[in-house]
Amino acid sequence: MQGEATESKGVTDSIENRRIFVLGFNASHQLLLRRSGDFSNRWELSIVGGAEEGETAEEAAARIAGPELNPVFIEEFASETGENISLFFATLAEGFAEESDDSGFFSIAEIRLGLAEAPETFAPEVAAVIGRIDPHLVRIPYLEKGPHEYNYSFRPERQRNRSVYQIDQDSARLYQSELCQAIKEIKRVNERRSTTPTALDFGAVSYIVPSHFGFCLGVQNAIERAYECLAENPGRRVYLLSELIHNPFVNEDLTARGLRCLQTDRGEPLIDPETGVGYWDQLKKDDVVIIPAFGATDEDKVRLIEKGISINQYDATCMLVEKVWKAAQRFGRAGYTVIIHGKAEHEETKGTFSNASKAAPSLIVRDRHEAEQLAAVIRAIDPAEKRKLFETFVGKHTPGFDVERDLDRIAVVNQTTLLRNETLRIIEFLEEVLAEKFGQENLDYHLNSNSKGDTLCYATQVNQDALEQTLEMDLDFAIVAGGKNSSNTYQLYRMCKERLDSRAFYIQSEKNILSADRILHDPFSPGGVEEELDGTEERKFLSETDQPVRILLTGGASCPDGILQQIIFRINSFFPPEKIRPVREILDELDQIV
């Protein structure tokens, strides 16, 4: 778990030959070094010392570091000179040390470059520790965090920074909607209607809006932090690790304000068109990087840490995504192999896999079809057959995965944006397979029952539940709005398609509504056996439908309210003005419900 210390053995032997190295890092994960003070004037570690008689390594480190620091044990090793080294990391409080001619903060990348180009400028112990810390770098941002602490919790309503949605006219049009706000106010204050769809009756056309739709708290948190970051860092280069959320209009608005993405949502590096240099390659330690709501893999975090760029300050990882990571590591430490129901190419699933694999063998299963392929591996008796069947999961499991050992005990976590019922069906199916193989009486040992629904995102779930209730009504069409690569939006569309078939549309904005006659249905096509490819096409829309028209309208968790309102205005424009009631009348009716 991030932030947990590895326990040392409290070694007290060979005291005269034991050295304590405490590596002190500032908030940007840069290492504090000092000048040696002798003729060599080399850079050396700033917090070092020896263990005294009767001291454990931890006690020695605490004494050497002083009361201001809380050293975390990392490992023990023998140096080239034969010394026994106990290595610790510590987080330095702001102002603990100032840069001067005699001390300074260096990124790991700077130290490595210096060791390669001018090794004589560094003391031998610097080279010794830099050569050993790679497996531990990702721990640096989390030294002060316990296993149950989150980087950011969701802000309560009173702490929400709504001013970021009103920067200018463009942002207000994108993010604000009087209609959507009125619907959400009904849900907030009227308990009897908290799950009831809301009808916006404009006369010739009515919009049936589920009780829960649009931005979830994780997305709100990410957007607010991104705009705050821009405001707090004038004159500095600000980057996004990848798309902040899966909505092109939000990402385009941030790009217009100066943000750039280091890589695509598939992890492909992006190139600066002005310099021809990749954004990753031009990162400096004074730059700012925002981690998106989906989180980041340890590999990407380590790249930022090495460059001396703060991870924590602008980490917008959704709290519920982080909850999945913590659950995966908890299951792994309990001896279970972690099965991740998710899409291997999705940023969130990559982050979950990265975190789970630190604690246990881990495997990604995309859908029920792949769950059945996994079941075939579990059922197979012959080891060679097991390995052959397992080849279908190449690239989706941790290195060294042992099919004869690592599928005996499993726990399932999920990508939070998928359909809840699909995750539950996969768990129940694997439950049957394990009961068949090991006996029902032994099932609790072989399948962690706490994984059943433990990592499902409630925000995604309530949107799905609200939509399911709305789909029971009499409807002419359903419009689901969201980014083409938004997984949770696609799941909402799948639900609508099952009920309304070709009268269900997936669009990104009002621009997809070409006319009263035609609409551009434009969904993301993620593939997979259970995900029918459903590509872009023009479809018939309003022209052959009797009035009044009833349209279900909802948005994915990354769809701004302003887009939903613009969709309403666009459709209303196709009817004669005298047949469309004024927005003010609709708002007054909603106020009466509250």
Side-chain angles (χ1 to χ4, degrees):
M1 181 65 65
Q2 292 169 342
E4 286 188 341
T6 304
E7 293 184 4
S8 76
K9 297 183 176 64
V11 178
T12 58
D13 60 321
S14 303
I15 294 299
E16 70 283 354
N17 206 28
R18 178 166 299 281
R19 297 274 284 166
I20 307 296
F21 292 170
V22 180
L23 305 191
F25 297 93
N26 65 11
S28 294
H29 323 311
Q30 298 160 9
L31 177 61
L32 178 64
L33 299 179
R34 67 181 180 188
R35 293 287 189 184
S36 61
D38 58 20
F39 70 91
S40 69
N41 206 30
R42 295 177 300 186
W43 290 106
E44 62 183 13
L45 301 179
S46 59
I47 309 173
V48 298
E52 296 180 352
E53 189 68 36
E55 279 187 321
T56 64
E58 289 88 347
E59 291 167 343
R63 172 179 53 80
I64 293 164
E68 295 181 356
L69 302 185
N70 181 29
V72 174
F73 176 77
I74 300 301
E75 67 169 36
E76 293 179 350
F77 65 94
S79 70
E80 292 183 357
T81 60
E83 289 182 311
N84 294 315
I85 306 298
S86 293
L87 180 63
F88 291 78
F89 287 172
T91 300
L92 304 178
E94 186 175 356
F96 180 89
E98 302 293 336
E99 291 202 313
S100 66
D101 291 340
D102 296 324
S103 65
F105 288 100
F106 295 79
S107 72
I108 301 301
E110 287 176 324
I111 296 173
R112 285 180 176 150
L113 181 62
L115 287 168
E117 295 182 347
E120 69 280 359
T121 61
F122 292 89
E125 69 263 20
V126 176
V129 298
I130 291 298
R132 301 189 64 89
I133 64 175
D134 277 2
H136 311 293
L137 285 176
V138 77
R139 296 180 61 186
I140 295 172
Y142 309 102
L143 294 173
E144 302 296 316
K145 292 188 180 297
H148 305 297
E149 291 183 86
Y150 292 88
N151 199 44
Y152 283 121
S153 297
F154 294 146
R155 295 169 171 174
E157 185 64 26
R158 66 180 180 278
Q159 293 179 4
R160 293 280 314 286
N161 184 3
R162 295 194 175 277
S163 64
V164 301
Y165 306 116
Q166 304 168 355
I167 298 174
D168 52 35
Q169 188 173 356
D170 289 339
S171 66
R173 185 177 185 275
L174 177 61
Y175 293 114
Q176 292 185 299
S177 164
E178 286 186 286
L179 289 169
C180 292
Q181 189 58 39
I183 294 171
K184 292 176 180 179
E185 185 67 11
I186 292 172
K187 177 190 67 176
R188 189 181 70 83
V189 303
N190 193 327
E191 184 176 343
R192 289 180 304 166
R193 295 187 57 89
S194 61
T195 61
T196 304
T198 299
L200 306 178
D201 183 2
F202 280 89
V205 57
S206 291
Y207 304 91
I208 314 302
V209 184
S211 59
H212 292 80
F213 62 91
F215 277 177
C216 62
L217 287 176
V219 167
Q220 291 173 344
N221 179 72
I223 289 174
E224 290 170 12
R225 294 196 181 283
Y227 285 97
E228 289 168 357
C229 178
L230 282 170
E232 293 167 2
N233 294 282
R236 297 176 70 183
R237 296 191 302 184
V238 180
Y239 295 90
L240 284 162
L241 179 61
S242 62
E243 293 181 344
L244 182 71
I245 60 174
H246 284 161
N247 186 281
F249 306 102
V250 171
N251 293 316
E252 287 167 9
D253 188 69
L254 290 168
T255 298
R257 300 176 193 281
L259 269 73
R260 296 294 179 266
C261 289
L262 297 175
Q263 59 194 27
T264 69
D265 61 348
R266 299 299 178 96
E268 300 158 346
L270 292 172
I271 307 299
D272 184 343
E274 295 182 4
T275 64
V277 178
Y279 289 120
W280 268 112
D281 296 326
Q282 66 184 26
L283 270 182
K284 306 295 183 186
K285 66 181 183 181
D286 292 331
D287 295 333
V288 177
V289 176
I290 302 169
I291 293 178
F294 320 104
T297 64
D298 281 0
E299 292 78 9
D300 283 338
K301 289 182 179 181
V302 165
R303 294 179 74 181
L304 296 174
I305 292 166
E306 288 177 328
K307 291 177 179 291
I309 293 173
S310 174
I311 294 288
N312 290 333
Q313 188 174 9
Y314 296 110
D315 184 348
T317 303
C318 174
M319 182 180 177
L320 296 176
V321 171
E322 207 176 338
K323 176 188 175 186
V324 177
W325 298 353
K326 291 177 182 294
Q329 292 185 338
R330 186 172 68 250
F331 296 148
R333 290 196 307 272
Y336 293 92
T337 290
V338 178
I339 307 297
I340 303 164
H341 174 214
K343 301 170 184 176
E345 72 277 7
H346 194 284
E347 304 105 306
E348 182 191 322
T349 296
K350 289 179 181 177
T352 301
F353 181 80
S354 177
N355 278 273
S357 61
K358 290 185 293 190
S362 302
L363 171 69
I364 300 171
V365 171
R366 186 184 189 92
D367 49 28
R368 171 60 183 258
H369 175 70
E370 289 196 357
E372 291 172 354
Q373 292 176 316
L374 180 61
V377 178
I378 294 172
R379 288 173 171 142
I381 303 300
D382 180 61
E385 183 185 4
K386 276 183 177 289
R387 290 191 291 271
K388 182 66 177 176
L389 291 169
F390 195 65
E391 289 177 1
T392 189
F393 293 101
V394 169
K396 296 183 177 182
H397 61 77
T398 46
F401 196 102
D402 186 338
V403 292
E404 297 182 58
R405 178 195 64 206
D406 295 335
L407 292 174
D408 282 356
R409 303 186 73 207
I410 65 173
V412 181
V413 300
N414 74 312
Q415 180 182 318
T416 61
T417 54
L418 298 181
L419 287 175
R420 175 182 186 270
N421 288 338
E422 286 188 5
T423 298
L424 292 178
R425 283 197 293 267
I426 286 173
I427 294 174
E428 289 164 359
F429 170 67
L430 293 176
E431 192 173 47
E432 294 172 6
V433 173
L434 293 170
E436 171 191 313
K437 182 177 178 68
F438 299 108
Q440 185 69 39
E441 68 278 8
N442 299 314
L443 185 60
D444 287 346
Y445 175 79
H446 294 281
L447 177 71
N448 190 311
S449 59
N450 290 328
S451 69
K452 195 169 186 177
D454 186 61
T455 61
L456 296 168
C457 169
Y458 73 82
T460 299
Q461 185 55 42
V462 294
N463 278 6
Q464 293 172 6
D465 289 344
L467 178 58
E468 186 172 19
Q469 183 173 345
T470 309
L471 284 168
E472 295 175 0
M473 303 176 68
D474 182 26
L475 303 163
D476 294 305
F477 302 101
I479 293 177
V480 181
K484 289 177 66 173
N485 56 342
S486 169
S487 180
N488 79 85
T489 307
Y490 185 78
Q491 306 309 324
L492 297 177
Y493 163 68
R494 286 179 63 193
M495 295 173 65
C496 292
K497 181 185 178 184
E498 185 175 330
R499 168 74 167 78
L500 294 166
D501 195 26
S502 63
R503 293 180 292 133
F505 310 119
Y506 188 134
I507 69 175
Q508 295 196 80
S509 74
E510 76 281 0
K511 295 178 182 177
N512 286 70
I513 305 172
L514 306 178
S515 67
D517 299 327
R518 310 298 289 175
I519 188 168
L520 184 62
H521 169 69
D522 192 20
F524 173 51
S525 299
V529 171
E530 289 195 347
E531 297 171 345
E532 178 185 348
L533 294 179
D534 198 357
T536 301
E537 62 175 317
E538 284 191 27
R539 290 183 179 176
K540 293 180 182 180
F541 191 31
L542 299 172
S543 56
E544 298 179 4
T545 306
D546 294 334
Q547 295 182 19
V549 183
R550 289 171 62 84
I551 300 174
L552 185 156
L553 178 62
T554 191
S558 54
C559 180
D561 287 352
I563 288 179
L564 295 177
Q565 181 157 298
Q566 294 305 316
I567 290 171
I568 291 173
F569 291 168
R570 173 69 171 162
I571 295 175
N572 285 356
S573 72
F574 299 138
F575 296 91
E578 64 273 15
K579 291 191 174 183
I580 295 295
R581 298 172 62 205
V583 172
R584 188 69 261 165
E585 286 186 16
I586 307 301
L587 290 171
D588 288 343
E589 289 181 357
L590 295 176
D591 285 344
Q592 292 300 315
I593 295 174
V594 174

